């Protein structure tokens, strides 16, 4: 069975993440279920945001560093998004105040698409149709 991922990163976002890692050290993402900026993916230095049992690890993105960057989502938000594949991208603009890209003039955002049937089956959110 092919290996699927729930989350990817664009080349532009990967480049910014390499720069931010050089400045801040290892990073991680958390996608909360808040409104406004709280619905943007938040990027933190590892250890600055503590995940717990109410967070779901979506996967890790390879940005061309020694270690991938892990991506988490709150369990309540995951219930709404479990049928989607997410891509972390970056666009010009002011991000959320606590996310490390804030001072760069860029902000991370999530682009999403529905899972394909094989992806949904692999992730256990759909059964195989006969």
């Amino acid at each position: 069975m092919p290996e699927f991922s729930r989350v990817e990163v664009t080349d532009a976002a990967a480049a910014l993440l390499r720069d931010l890692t050089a400045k801040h050290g290892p990073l991680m993402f958390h996608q909360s279920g808040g409104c406004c900026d709280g619905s943007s993916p938040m990027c933190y230095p590892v250890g600055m945001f503590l995940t717990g049992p109410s967070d779901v690890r979506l996967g890790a993105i390879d940005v061309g560093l020694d270690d991938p960057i892990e991506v988490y989502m709150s369990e309540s938000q995951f219930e709404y998004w479990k049928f989607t594949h997410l891509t972390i991208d970056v666009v010009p603009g002011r991000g959320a105040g606590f996310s490390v890209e804030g001072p760069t003039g860029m902000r991370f955002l999530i682009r999403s698409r529905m899972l394909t049937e094989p992806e949904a089956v692999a992730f256990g959110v759909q059964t195989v149709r006969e």
Side-chain angles (χ1 to χ4, degrees):
M1 177 178 277
E3 186 175 320
F4 295 106
S5 173
R6 284 190 173 276
V7 62
E8 292 179 355
V9 63
T10 65
D11 291 341
L16 179 57
L17 286 162
R18 288 189 297 273
D19 292 344
L20 291 169
T21 298
K23 186 178 229 179
H24 300 284
L27 301 171
M28 56 89 67
F29 275 99
H30 187 270
Q31 174 72 47
S32 73
C35 71
C36 309
D37 277 344
S39 59
S40 297
M42 303 292 283
C43 185
Y44 301 103
V46 169
M48 185 178 176
F49 182 94
L50 300 178
T51 58
S54 64
D55 294 300
V56 175
R57 184 182 178 277
L58 298 178
I61 51 176
D62 181 1
V63 300
L65 297 169
D66 289 340
D67 296 313
I69 295 175
E70 293 191 338
V71 181
Y72 295 87
M73 178 180 281
S74 66
E75 188 175 46
S76 60
Q77 186 74 356
F78 181 73
E79 278 304 306
Y80 294 108
W81 290 51
K82 66 184 173 188
F83 297 103
T84 59
H85 176 275
L86 307 178
T87 300
I88 297 174
D89 199 359
V90 65
V91 295
R94 179 88 171 111
F98 295 111
S99 194
V100 295
E101 84 281 5
T104 69
M106 303 295 283
R107 67 182 183 91
F108 290 112
L109 62 85
I110 292 287
R111 298 189 188 280
S112 64
R113 65 167 172 78
M114 296 303 293
L115 294 174
T116 63
E117 184 175 345
E119 288 170 328
V121 169
F123 295 132
V125 295
Q126 179 179 324
T127 57
V128 178
R129 287 189 229 168
E130 297 288 326

